[in-house]
Structure formats: structure tokens, C-alpha cells
Amino acid sequence: MSRQEPLVWIVENVGSGPGSRETLVCAQLLGSDPRLARLDEDRLGPYSPGVFAKALGALIASGSRERKSRSTVVLLPHTYQVAEFAPRLALLLGAAYIPSISGVHRDGEGGLRFRRSILQARLEAEVRPRARTIVATVQSGAFSSDETPAPPRQVVEVCLPADMEPRPEREILGREAASAGGVDLAGAERIVTAGRGVGGADQVSVAADLAAALDAELGASRPVVDNGWLPREHQVGSSGHLVAPKLYVALGVSGSIQHLMGMSGSRVIVAVNTDPEAPIFSLAHYGIVGDLHDVAPALTGLLNERAGR
Amino acid sequence: MRIGVCIKQVPDTDAHPRIADSGDHIDDDDLSWVISSCDLCALEEALLLVEAVEEEEGGIDRPELVVFSLGPARVEEALRKALALGVDRAVHLEDAAFRGGDAMADGRALAAAVDREGCDLVLAGAQSDDLGQAATPAVIAGTLGRPYAWLVIAVELDAASRSVRAVRELEGGMNEVLRLELPAVLAVQAGINKPRFASLRGTLQARRKPLEKVDCAMLGVEPGQVGKAGARIETMAVRVPPTGGGGLRIAGDAAEAAAELLAHLEREALL
């Protein structure tokens, strides 16, 4: 093993399901035989950001002390829970914190460079860590590989350090469903999503009409829901519904990272947007640069004609 | 009771930012600057918390509202806007030593500032519109050892028990209800309220409200812990992402494009 190879940790939270596939692929790019640190509420008690960060931090720090000559990279899947506690972990370790990475490579001198989206996915930045320890969260869907890499051979269950009080810094009062409604986005074969480009509550019908003509469910991007143009149960994205229909039509959706995370698994993606640089086009199989208020009614008209309506 | 709100001034993302010739940052010229959208929601939530106390208790024990921001001289405009919205006073972290910081460096400086003011509750946006690292509020909480929640969509203050009830968004359409003892730090999700606009009266009053400039020495932070010296990451290049997927751009007017798209979808047996 070359001296430049870092000690790589992959972090998995037993409670919040998989999501470690991307971290595994990313670890493979770093050329290392990674160790898996497993977070389990049965061992650590109920999740809180402080407790998880401290317990994990103690483990990583002791691993780094063993291997003085190498740098350490901690890879976590970019989930909501991880986004909450990972900055704290980096702070404890004095580490470079590089969230939601979508790529990694080495520069001319063998130093690590990480790629991440900025300015709401309009641009991407190449970031160089300036610390021996790096905490990076991996953007969902960013690292793909035809083969799932073999799981790490070394698995470590994260424990509470002996000197640590297991008291979480906050109390969980309960959980509740964010919304309820008759919209079945998760099971839909076709979805037409209204984005901010529709322009207002009175103009959502342009998307609803196309959805009806396609026999599709009606989705909404976050700004549409936040503005009250459509109820929250229509929301597609990592904070709404994660969808993977056969056909996904995005009307006036620019394509925030959160939105793209929620629909990137769709089989065929169509995007209509006036902005040719809208990030949604990077995922779209078919892209039309144009005004949805012209394109959608044209589609609806043709579909209704075909159906003899 | 004192509530602090940390805001970041960011380039207006509706404009198309230009990459500087050096290739490692956004060209600052002819950019327009705004308060990051989540931070506006954090400001609005703080104003609503103060108004809720005013209504219930007739203004007795009204929390004081202080806004914080770190950055160069231009940041004063963002702070004046917050004052115009109804915030009581502003603290501007301005020091050459703050330049070039990352979330770790900026979070440490902001932590010192909110601690200096004795804020019982600190609100900030969940992530900024420019870098979107979602880290600064967590660093503030971590530095001060305070309870923290990210992606908060509802906040209720319980002054009597010195605690706050917060609802946090989980993935997959679920929420978690939490109770945090004060002092605490909450990072507010975008869109949880409708940020108000400043009134003319508010804008006029804002000019006379206190806006204090603080530097490293006043905050008692080591210059080596903040700014570029304290940063653990460095941006080496910024570029337009390659358009992936090999997607097909369909040209023509609306009717032509619609017809061509339907032909493709039919061929893929999607209709």
C-alpha cells in the first residue's frame, strides 16, 4: 500500500437504512481498503447530533493516532441526519469539512481534490482540504458503478467513550407524517411536475392539464409548495417524495440538488425550461428550451387529439 | 431573553454569476447581493416568535432581537435590511482577518459573537444559497456546546421552562418533534414562512438603530482561528458543470418541439 493512501472510514447508520453504496464506490476511488464504522442506536441510545458526533469522533481520532503518517478520510452518505451531525464531527476532529461531494481525484502532487455543486447546482467547485483529517459527505447518486464494491472487511461498532455522558442534548417528543392526501407520487408511472416557472397558483392548470392528458400524477417543486400554489403532498424532492416513474416531465423546474435527488431515478426525464443553463437539463433525456406556457398546451393538445378527446 | 439571528449575504442566484479569469471564484463585479433565502426565513421566524410573546404577555419580557453577519463592508446593507424588518440591533463581524474563511472559521467567529451578546436562542438558515454547506450553524452550536437541530420547520418558545419546541424535517415525508433546552441553536429550513417586506417606516427607523462593528480583538478570537488561516478547505477552481446524460435538445417552436417530443416518447413506448 502506498504511503499516500489515506485511512478511509465509511460510516453507516443502521437506523437510517443503506445509502452506503456511493460511499463504497467513492472509497474505492481513493484506492483504499476502507474500514466501516457502524452507528447503532441500540448501542449509542437515541440519535442526537452531539452524541453521534462525539462517539464517532473518538473512534476516528484513535484510528488516526495509530496511523500517524497517513491522512484520514471519513465518508458519510449525505442524508439529513448526517448533514446535521457531520459538521460537528469535523469540528471535533479539526478536520476539513466537505459536504455533498460529487467527485474526487488527485492533483499533480497526489493531493486530494473534491468536487461539489455550488450556487444551487449552477456551478461546481473543486475543493482542496487543508487538514490531515477530512470529513466528506457523499451526494446521493453521485458515484455510480456497475458493480457494487465488496463491503469493507473491517467493521467497527461505534461505542460511547467511557468518559462520555450518554445524555442526548435534546428530547424527542415524537414523530409525525408531514402530510396526508390522495396523491400517489411514489407509485406513479408518469409524473408531470410544476416548477416555479409556472408563475402562479392560477397557472398551475397548465401542468395539471398535461398531467391529465398523459394520465400522470401532478408533482410540484419546493418553491411551488412554499408559495402555496399546490399542497405539500405534491412535493417531489429529498424533503418530499422520492419518485422513480417511467416518465418524468419537469415544467419550469430549475432543478435544485434536493429536487434532482428526489427524481433522478426516473427512467425518462423531460425538461421544459426557458433557461438553457437550468441544472435540470443535466439530467434530462429530452430537453426543450422554451416557455412551458407554449410547450405544455401544445403537448396537451396533441395528446388529446390522439386520444380523440 | 435574547434571540440572535445569523444571516449571510450571498450573490443573487437569479442572476448568472460569472467566473473570474483566475478560475477559482465568482467575479464580484456587477453582482447583486441579497440575504440568503433560508436566512430570511430564520429572520421572519424570529420576528414571529417576538410577536407571539408581545401578543400573549402584552409586551412584558419581549425578547430582544439581534442580527449577526460576517463579511466585508457590503454586508452592512443586509444588516440594515434586517433592522428595517423589525430587528432591534445588528452586529457586523468585520475584520481583514475574517477574509477567506470556511464554515469552520466563520462559525467560530459567529459563535464568539453570539456568546458575547448572551443569546438564549440562535436561529440561522439551514443552508446558504451560494455554497450550501449547511455547516455554519452546526459549528456555532458545537463551539458553544449547545443543543442543535437542523432543518427546522416550526419553532415554539416556552420562556417559562426555558426551552424551545422545534419540528425537524426527516426524509421521506416525516417530521420529528423535539424539545431543546435553552440556550440552543436552530437551523431553519427554507419556505417555512413568508418573509415580510420592509415598510417605509421600518426602513427609516433602521437608520437610527444600533449597528455595531466587531473585530477579532473585541470577540477575543485568535486571528489564526478565523478567516483563511482558520479555514480547513480551499476552493481551487470553479466551473460550469458539464451537461451530462447525453440528453437530446429539441429545437423548434412550441408546436414542432411538442410533436417531436411525442414521437420520441412513443418510440420509447411511454404513451
Side-chain angles (χ1 to χ4, degrees):
Chain A
M1 206 177 277
S2 99
R3 280 186 62 197
Q4 282 190 336
E5 276 197 4
L7 170 61
V8 178
W9 288 94
I10 288 178
V11 180
E12 179 188 68
N13 179 0
V14 173
S16 64
S20 54
R21 194 185 138 87
E22 281 107 344
T23 56
L24 270 175
V25 178
C26 182
Q28 212 174 32
L29 292 174
L30 294 169
S32 231
D33 187 15
R35 298 181 184 181
L36 180 74
R38 192 176 276 153
L39 296 163
D40 192 340
E41 291 195 0
D42 286 346
R43 223 172 257 271
L44 297 169
Y47 163 74
S48 84
V51 170
F52 271 39
K54 279 181 203 158
L56 190 55
L59 173 70
I60 307 291
S62 71
S64 301
R65 278 194 296 271
E66 280 169 35
R67 307 283 189 106
K68 275 192 189 113
S69 62
R70 293 162 74 187
S71 61
T72 301
V73 182
V74 186
L75 296 172
L76 305 99
H78 191 79
T79 62
Y80 283 2
Q81 189 185 79
V82 163
E84 185 171 64
F85 80 76
R88 187 105 167 226
L89 173 68
L91 181 70
L92 285 170
L93 294 169
Y97 182 58
I98 313 180
S100 53
I101 59 166
S102 55
V104 61
H105 72 276
R106 286 183 187 278
D107 63 19
E109 283 114 50
L112 290 172
R113 299 278 186 97
F114 295 88
R115 198 169 70 230
R116 62 184 305 273
S117 285
I118 59 167
L119 286 164
Q120 303 183 325
R122 283 184 190 280
L123 297 177
E124 61 180 34
E126 209 177 281
V127 176
R128 186 171 74 100
R130 292 174 61 202
R132 295 186 58 80
T133 304
I134 298 150
V135 173
T137 70
V138 180
Q139 187 65 56
S140 154
F143 294 89
S144 58
S145 160
D146 293 337
E147 294 161 40
T148 300
R153 283 172 296 176
Q154 283 194 67
V155 179
V156 185
E157 301 285 345
V158 181
C159 296
L160 289 174
D163 59 345
M164 198 181 125
E165 237 186 290
R167 204 174 73 91
E169 80 263 27
R170 61 191 200 188
E171 184 189 348
I172 299 168
L173 301 177
R175 286 190 174 181
E176 56 188 33
S179 63
V183 188
D184 180 22
L185 286 172
E189 291 213 334
R190 300 190 188 106
I191 295 174
V192 174
T193 289
R196 189 163 52 167
V198 303
D202 53 340
Q203 293 174 72
V204 167
S205 61
V206 73
D209 289 348
L210 178 57
L214 272 170
D215 193 20
E217 289 282 352
L218 182 62
S221 69
R222 176 152 210 139
V224 166
V225 170
D226 288 345
N227 283 319
W229 302 347
L230 275 171
R232 194 156 296 275
E233 58 260 29
H234 289 274
Q235 188 178 318
V236 172
S238 56
S239 56
H241 294 276
L242 305 179
V243 302
K246 286 183 181 159
L247 176 63
Y248 188 90
V249 182
L251 298 176
V253 176
S254 69
S256 68
I257 281 284
Q258 288 79 8
H259 190 87
L260 301 182
M261 273 170 71
M263 47 64 76
S264 59
S266 307
R267 187 155 82 75
V268 172
I269 296 166
V270 175
V272 182
N273 204 302
T274 49
D275 178 2
E277 290 174 42
I280 188 81
F281 284 121
S282 68
L283 275 190
H285 302 89
Y286 299 103
I288 299 177
V289 178
D291 189 340
L292 71 95
H293 294 285
D294 300 326
V295 178
L299 284 167
T300 306
L302 287 171
L303 285 163
N304 285 342
E305 236 170 71
R306 286 164 56 106
R309 277 180 283 210
Chain B
M1 172 84 61
R2 185 168 291 145
I3 301 176
V5 182
C6 297
I7 63 171
K8 183 178 186 184
Q9 195 186 41
V10 298
D12 187 349
T13 39
D14 282 339
H16 284 280
R18 227 181 35 233
I19 298 166
D21 292 338
S22 62
D24 60 359
H25 66 278
I26 312 296
D27 201 342
D28 271 15
D29 297 344
D30 58 64
L31 269 186
S32 56
W33 297 88
V34 294
I35 298 174
S36 189
S37 54
C38 285
D39 297 349
L40 269 179
C41 291
L43 269 176
E44 177 64 29
E45 203 60 24
L47 290 164
L48 292 172
L49 288 176
V50 170
E51 285 166 3
V53 174
E54 281 175 341
E55 273 173 32
E56 262 180 37
E57 294 162 27
I60 309 164
D61 297 330
R62 177 190 179 279
E64 189 195 25
L65 204 49
V66 186
V67 63
F68 299 85
S69 193
L70 181 150
R74 61 172 157 77
V75 167
E76 192 176 323
E77 188 193 332
L79 290 169
R80 288 283 173 210
K81 187 184 171 189
L83 293 172
L85 295 174
V87 171
D88 299 308
R89 57 194 178 84
V91 177
H92 183 182
L93 290 79
E94 192 187 20
D95 190 321
F98 293 144
R99 295 270 166 90
D102 63 356
M104 296 293 145
D106 294 353
R108 271 192 288 262
L110 284 162
V114 301
D115 197 36
R116 179 175 177 259
E117 296 295 335
C119 293
D120 302 281
L121 176 64
V122 175
L123 300 182
Q127 59 190 352
S128 64
D129 291 340
D130 56 351
L131 300 184
Q133 302 187 98
T136 306
V139 175
I140 296 171
T143 304
L144 300 174
R146 294 185 181 182
Y148 173 63
W150 184 67
L151 225 51
V152 167
I153 57 170
V155 187
E156 271 172 54
L157 200 56
D158 184 355
S161 72
R162 285 197 51 78
S163 70
V164 65
R165 182 183 178 278
V167 181
R168 174 173 85 97
E169 213 172 83
L170 304 177
E171 272 125 342
M174 292 293 290
N175 296 330
E176 188 171 70
V177 188
L178 299 168
R179 201 182 74 86
L180 300 91
E181 276 176 29
L182 297 179
V185 180
L186 301 177
V188 168
Q189 169 70 304
I192 69 165
N193 51 39
K194 280 201 182 303
R196 67 194 66 189
F197 294 100
S199 63
L200 180 60
R201 191 165 149 262
T203 307
L204 292 172
Q205 282 175 343
R207 291 186 198 163
R208 293 190 300 274
K209 285 183 178 174
L211 189 155
E212 189 190 11
K213 307 242 179 212
V214 296
D215 58 20
C216 282
M218 291 165 81
L219 294 177
V221 294
E222 292 294 324
Q225 288 284 298
V226 296
K228 194 168 181 186
R232 296 286 176 268
I233 60 172
E234 188 176 0
T235 299
M236 305 306 287
V238 172
R239 57 181 165 250
V240 176
T243 41
L248 183 72
R249 290 286 173 107
I250 299 172
D253 68 22
E256 288 163 4
E260 190 183 335
L261 174 65
L262 288 186
H264 286 295
L265 296 184
E266 180 145 51
R267 190 173 42 77
E268 298 215 30
L270 287 164
L271 297 181

mmCIF file with all atom_site columns, all heavy atoms in Angstrom, chain A residues 12-18 38-42 52 81 175:
data_model
loop_
_atom_site.group_PDB
_atom_site.id
_atom_site.type_symbol
_atom_site.label_atom_id
_atom_site.label_alt_id
_atom_site.label_comp_id
_atom_site.label_asym_id
_atom_site.label_entity_id
_atom_site.label_seq_id
_atom_site.pdbx_PDB_ins_code
_atom_site.Cartn_x
_atom_site.Cartn_y
_atom_site.Cartn_z
_atom_site.occupancy
_atom_site.B_iso_or_equiv
_atom_site.pdbx_formal_charge
_atom_site.auth_seq_id
_atom_site.auth_comp_id
_atom_site.auth_asym_id
_atom_site.auth_atom_id
_atom_site.pdbx_PDB_model_num
ATOM 1   N N   . GLU A 1 12  ? -21.822 4.116  8.460  1.00 0.00 ? 12  GLU A N   1
ATOM 2   C CA  . GLU A 1 12  ? -23.149 3.611  8.140  1.00 0.00 ? 12  GLU A CA  1
ATOM 3   C C   . GLU A 1 12  ? -24.016 3.754  9.386  1.00 0.00 ? 12  GLU A C   1
ATOM 4   O O   . GLU A 1 12  ? -23.560 3.447  10.486 1.00 0.00 ? 12  GLU A O   1
ATOM 5   C CB  . GLU A 1 12  ? -23.049 2.134  7.761  1.00 0.00 ? 12  GLU A CB  1
ATOM 6   C CG  . GLU A 1 12  ? -24.376 1.499  7.437  1.00 0.00 ? 12  GLU A CG  1
ATOM 7   C CD  . GLU A 1 12  ? -24.237 -0.015 7.266  1.00 0.00 ? 12  GLU A CD  1
ATOM 8   O OE1 . GLU A 1 12  ? -23.963 -0.705 8.257  1.00 0.00 ? 12  GLU A OE1 1
ATOM 9   O OE2 . GLU A 1 12  ? -24.395 -0.492 6.147  1.00 0.00 ? 12  GLU A OE2 1
ATOM 10  N N   . ASN A 1 13  ? -25.221 4.248  9.187  1.00 0.00 ? 13  ASN A N   1
ATOM 11  C CA  . ASN A 1 13  ? -26.149 4.304  10.311 1.00 0.00 ? 13  ASN A CA  1
ATOM 12  C C   . ASN A 1 13  ? -27.181 3.202  10.149 1.00 0.00 ? 13  ASN A C   1
ATOM 13  O O   . ASN A 1 13  ? -27.972 3.222  9.203  1.00 0.00 ? 13  ASN A O   1
ATOM 14  C CB  . ASN A 1 13  ? -26.819 5.667  10.388 1.00 0.00 ? 13  ASN A CB  1
ATOM 15  C CG  . ASN A 1 13  ? -27.801 5.745  11.542 1.00 0.00 ? 13  ASN A CG  1
ATOM 16  O OD1 . ASN A 1 13  ? -27.977 4.781  12.289 1.00 0.00 ? 13  ASN A OD1 1
ATOM 17  N ND2 . ASN A 1 13  ? -28.428 6.883  11.692 1.00 0.00 ? 13  ASN A ND2 1
ATOM 18  N N   . VAL A 1 14  ? -27.163 2.268  11.061 1.00 0.00 ? 14  VAL A N   1
ATOM 19  C CA  . VAL A 1 14  ? -28.063 1.119  10.979 1.00 0.00 ? 14  VAL A CA  1
ATOM 20  C C   . VAL A 1 14  ? -29.522 1.575  10.912 1.00 0.00 ? 14  VAL A C   1
ATOM 21  O O   . VAL A 1 14  ? -30.328 1.027  10.167 1.00 0.00 ? 14  VAL A O   1
ATOM 22  C CB  . VAL A 1 14  ? -27.816 0.188  12.188 1.00 0.00 ? 14  VAL A CB  1
ATOM 23  C CG1 . VAL A 1 14  ? -28.855 -0.919 12.236 1.00 0.00 ? 14  VAL A CG1 1
ATOM 24  C CG2 . VAL A 1 14  ? -26.414 -0.386 12.106 1.00 0.00 ? 14  VAL A CG2 1
ATOM 25  N N   . GLY A 1 15  ? -29.847 2.632  11.681 1.00 0.00 ? 15  GLY A N   1
ATOM 26  C CA  . GLY A 1 15  ? -31.239 3.068  11.773 1.00 0.00 ? 15  GLY A CA  1
ATOM 27  C C   . GLY A 1 15  ? -31.774 3.705  10.508 1.00 0.00 ? 15  GLY A C   1
ATOM 28  O O   . GLY A 1 15  ? -32.969 3.618  10.223 1.00 0.00 ? 15  GLY A O   1
ATOM 29  N N   . SER A 1 16  ? -30.939 4.366  9.731  1.00 0.00 ? 16  SER A N   1
ATOM 30  C CA  . SER A 1 16  ? -31.483 5.107  8.599  1.00 0.00 ? 16  SER A CA  1
ATOM 31  C C   . SER A 1 16  ? -31.188 4.414  7.270  1.00 0.00 ? 16  SER A C   1
ATOM 32  O O   . SER A 1 16  ? -31.083 5.052  6.232  1.00 0.00 ? 16  SER A O   1
ATOM 33  C CB  . SER A 1 16  ? -30.981 6.552  8.598  1.00 0.00 ? 16  SER A CB  1
ATOM 34  O OG  . SER A 1 16  ? -29.601 6.602  8.415  1.00 0.00 ? 16  SER A OG  1
ATOM 35  N N   . GLY A 1 17  ? -31.053 3.114  7.312  1.00 0.00 ? 17  GLY A N   1
ATOM 36  C CA  . GLY A 1 17  ? -31.016 2.329  6.095  1.00 0.00 ? 17  GLY A CA  1
ATOM 37  C C   . GLY A 1 17  ? -29.710 2.418  5.339  1.00 0.00 ? 17  GLY A C   1
ATOM 38  O O   . GLY A 1 17  ? -28.721 2.940  5.848  1.00 0.00 ? 17  GLY A O   1
ATOM 39  N N   . PRO A 1 18  ? -29.690 1.896  4.101  1.00 0.00 ? 18  PRO A N   1
ATOM 40  C CA  . PRO A 1 18  ? -28.431 1.867  3.359  1.00 0.00 ? 18  PRO A CA  1
ATOM 41  C C   . PRO A 1 18  ? -28.023 3.266  2.894  1.00 0.00 ? 18  PRO A C   1
ATOM 42  O O   . PRO A 1 18  ? -28.215 4.219  3.593  1.00 0.00 ? 18  PRO A O   1
ATOM 43  C CB  . PRO A 1 18  ? -28.757 0.965  2.170  1.00 0.00 ? 18  PRO A CB  1
ATOM 44  C CG  . PRO A 1 18  ? -30.232 1.003  2.029  1.00 0.00 ? 18  PRO A CG  1
ATOM 45  C CD  . PRO A 1 18  ? -30.808 1.362  3.366  1.00 0.00 ? 18  PRO A CD  1
ATOM 46  N N   . ARG A 1 38  ? -19.921 1.565  12.226 1.00 0.00 ? 38  ARG A N   1
ATOM 47  C CA  . ARG A 1 38  ? -21.364 1.377  12.233 1.00 0.00 ? 38  ARG A CA  1
ATOM 48  C C   . ARG A 1 38  ? -21.995 2.074  13.441 1.00 0.00 ? 38  ARG A C   1
ATOM 49  O O   . ARG A 1 38  ? -21.617 1.812  14.578 1.00 0.00 ? 38  ARG A O   1
ATOM 50  C CB  . ARG A 1 38  ? -21.683 -0.120 12.246 1.00 0.00 ? 38  ARG A CB  1
ATOM 51  C CG  . ARG A 1 38  ? -23.133 -0.414 11.957 1.00 0.00 ? 38  ARG A CG  1
ATOM 52  C CD  . ARG A 1 38  ? -23.374 -1.896 11.888 1.00 0.00 ? 38  ARG A CD  1
ATOM 53  N NE  . ARG A 1 38  ? -23.069 -2.468 10.590 1.00 0.00 ? 38  ARG A NE  1
ATOM 54  C CZ  . ARG A 1 38  ? -22.696 -3.731 10.403 1.00 0.00 ? 38  ARG A CZ  1
ATOM 55  N NH1 . ARG A 1 38  ? -22.543 -4.521 11.441 1.00 0.00 ? 38  ARG A NH1 1
ATOM 56  N NH2 . ARG A 1 38  ? -22.485 -4.189 9.192  1.00 0.00 ? 38  ARG A NH2 1
ATOM 57  N N   . LEU A 1 39  ? -22.931 2.970  13.135 1.00 0.00 ? 39  LEU A N   1
ATOM 58  C CA  . LEU A 1 39  ? -23.656 3.681  14.191 1.00 0.00 ? 39  LEU A CA  1
ATOM 59  C C   . LEU A 1 39  ? -24.966 2.948  14.442 1.00 0.00 ? 39  LEU A C   1
ATOM 60  O O   . LEU A 1 39  ? -25.723 2.702  13.507 1.00 0.00 ? 39  LEU A O   1
ATOM 61  C CB  . LEU A 1 39  ? -23.956 5.114  13.749 1.00 0.00 ? 39  LEU A CB  1
ATOM 62  C CG  . LEU A 1 39  ? -22.762 6.031  13.519 1.00 0.00 ? 39  LEU A CG  1
ATOM 63  C CD1 . LEU A 1 39  ? -23.179 7.240  12.697 1.00 0.00 ? 39  LEU A CD1 1
ATOM 64  C CD2 . LEU A 1 39  ? -22.170 6.483  14.844 1.00 0.00 ? 39  LEU A CD2 1
ATOM 65  N N   . ASP A 1 40  ? -25.205 2.590  15.694 1.00 0.00 ? 40  ASP A N   1
ATOM 66  C CA  . ASP A 1 40  ? -26.398 1.822  16.006 1.00 0.00 ? 40  ASP A CA  1
ATOM 67  C C   . ASP A 1 40  ? -27.030 2.391  17.277 1.00 0.00 ? 40  ASP A C   1
ATOM 68  O O   . ASP A 1 40  ? -26.375 2.479  18.318 1.00 0.00 ? 40  ASP A O   1
ATOM 69  C CB  . ASP A 1 40  ? -26.000 0.347  16.217 1.00 0.00 ? 40  ASP A CB  1
ATOM 70  C CG  . ASP A 1 40  ? -27.220 -0.558 16.268 1.00 0.00 ? 40  ASP A CG  1
ATOM 71  O OD1 . ASP A 1 40  ? -28.330 -0.043 16.527 1.00 0.00 ? 40  ASP A OD1 1
ATOM 72  O OD2 . ASP A 1 40  ? -27.047 -1.770 16.055 1.00 0.00 ? 40  ASP A OD2 1
ATOM 73  N N   . GLU A 1 41  ? -28.305 2.769  17.160 1.00 0.00 ? 41  GLU A N   1
ATOM 74  C CA  . GLU A 1 41  ? -28.975 3.366  18.323 1.00 0.00 ? 41  GLU A CA  1
ATOM 75  C C   . GLU A 1 41  ? -29.099 2.374  19.475 1.00 0.00 ? 41  GLU A C   1
ATOM 76  O O   . GLU A 1 41  ? -29.220 2.780  20.629 1.00 0.00 ? 41  GLU A O   1
ATOM 77  C CB  . GLU A 1 41  ? -30.356 3.906  17.919 1.00 0.00 ? 41  GLU A CB  1
ATOM 78  C CG  . GLU A 1 41  ? -30.259 5.116  17.008 1.00 0.00 ? 41  GLU A CG  1
ATOM 79  C CD  . GLU A 1 41  ? -31.567 5.881  16.885 1.00 0.00 ? 41  GLU A CD  1
ATOM 80  O OE1 . GLU A 1 41  ? -32.570 5.473  17.511 1.00 0.00 ? 41  GLU A OE1 1
ATOM 81  O OE2 . GLU A 1 41  ? -31.578 6.887  16.161 1.00 0.00 ? 41  GLU A OE2 1
ATOM 82  N N   . ASP A 1 42  ? -29.081 1.070  19.174 1.00 0.00 ? 42  ASP A N   1
ATOM 83  C CA  . ASP A 1 42  ? -29.137 0.078  20.249 1.00 0.00 ? 42  ASP A CA  1
ATOM 84  C C   . ASP A 1 42  ? -27.937 0.222  21.175 1.00 0.00 ? 42  ASP A C   1
ATOM 85  O O   . ASP A 1 42  ? -27.987 -0.094 22.352 1.00 0.00 ? 42  ASP A O   1
ATOM 86  C CB  . ASP A 1 42  ? -29.151 -1.351 19.671 1.00 0.00 ? 42  ASP A CB  1
ATOM 87  C CG  . ASP A 1 42  ? -30.517 -1.666 19.073 1.00 0.00 ? 42  ASP A CG  1
ATOM 88  O OD1 . ASP A 1 42  ? -31.466 -0.888 19.354 1.00 0.00 ? 42  ASP A OD1 1
ATOM 89  O OD2 . ASP A 1 42  ? -30.633 -2.648 18.322 1.00 0.00 ? 42  ASP A OD2 1
ATOM 90  N N   . PHE A 1 52  ? -23.782 11.441 18.606 1.00 0.00 ? 52  PHE A N   1
ATOM 91  C CA  . PHE A 1 52  ? -23.225 10.704 17.469 1.00 0.00 ? 52  PHE A CA  1
ATOM 92  C C   . PHE A 1 52  ? -21.877 11.283 17.047 1.00 0.00 ? 52  PHE A C   1
ATOM 93  O O   . PHE A 1 52  ? -20.938 10.552 16.745 1.00 0.00 ? 52  PHE A O   1
ATOM 94  C CB  . PHE A 1 52  ? -24.211 10.707 16.285 1.00 0.00 ? 52  PHE A CB  1
ATOM 95  C CG  . PHE A 1 52  ? -25.187 9.556  16.309 1.00 0.00 ? 52  PHE A CG  1
ATOM 96  C CD1 . PHE A 1 52  ? -25.743 9.116  17.501 1.00 0.00 ? 52  PHE A CD1 1
ATOM 97  C CD2 . PHE A 1 52  ? -25.550 8.903  15.137 1.00 0.00 ? 52  PHE A CD2 1
ATOM 98  C CE1 . PHE A 1 52  ? -26.641 8.053  17.533 1.00 0.00 ? 52  PHE A CE1 1
ATOM 99  C CE2 . PHE A 1 52  ? -26.452 7.833  15.151 1.00 0.00 ? 52  PHE A CE2 1
ATOM 100 C CZ  . PHE A 1 52  ? -26.989 7.411  16.355 1.00 0.00 ? 52  PHE A CZ  1
ATOM 101 N N   . GLN A 1 81  ? -29.808 13.304 8.427  1.00 0.00 ? 81  GLN A N   1
ATOM 102 C CA  . GLN A 1 81  ? -29.206 13.083 9.739  1.00 0.00 ? 81  GLN A CA  1
ATOM 103 C C   . GLN A 1 81  ? -27.702 13.369 9.698  1.00 0.00 ? 81  GLN A C   1
ATOM 104 O O   . GLN A 1 81  ? -27.162 14.024 10.585 1.00 0.00 ? 81  GLN A O   1
ATOM 105 C CB  . GLN A 1 81  ? -29.444 11.637 10.188 1.00 0.00 ? 81  GLN A CB  1
ATOM 106 C CG  . GLN A 1 81  ? -29.037 11.412 11.616 1.00 0.00 ? 81  GLN A CG  1
ATOM 107 C CD  . GLN A 1 81  ? -29.165 9.954  12.004 1.00 0.00 ? 81  GLN A CD  1
ATOM 108 O OE1 . GLN A 1 81  ? -28.313 9.144  11.686 1.00 0.00 ? 81  GLN A OE1 1
ATOM 109 N NE2 . GLN A 1 81  ? -30.249 9.624  12.670 1.00 0.00 ? 81  GLN A NE2 1
ATOM 110 N N   . ARG A 1 175 ? -42.842 11.595 16.475 1.00 0.00 ? 175 ARG A N   1
ATOM 111 C CA  . ARG A 1 175 ? -42.713 11.727 15.023 1.00 0.00 ? 175 ARG A CA  1
ATOM 112 C C   . ARG A 1 175 ? -44.096 11.852 14.423 1.00 0.00 ? 175 ARG A C   1
ATOM 113 O O   . ARG A 1 175 ? -45.059 11.315 14.971 1.00 0.00 ? 175 ARG A O   1
ATOM 114 C CB  . ARG A 1 175 ? -42.016 10.515 14.434 1.00 0.00 ? 175 ARG A CB  1
ATOM 115 C CG  . ARG A 1 175 ? -40.535 10.539 14.729 1.00 0.00 ? 175 ARG A CG  1
ATOM 116 C CD  . ARG A 1 175 ? -39.801 9.489  13.958 1.00 0.00 ? 175 ARG A CD  1
ATOM 117 N NE  . ARG A 1 175 ? -38.366 9.668  14.199 1.00 0.00 ? 175 ARG A NE  1
ATOM 118 C CZ  . ARG A 1 175 ? -37.424 8.932  13.652 1.00 0.00 ? 175 ARG A CZ  1
ATOM 119 N NH1 . ARG A 1 175 ? -37.738 7.969  12.810 1.00 0.00 ? 175 ARG A NH1 1
ATOM 120 N NH2 . ARG A 1 175 ? -36.153 9.155  13.910 1.00 0.00 ? 175 ARG A NH2 1
#
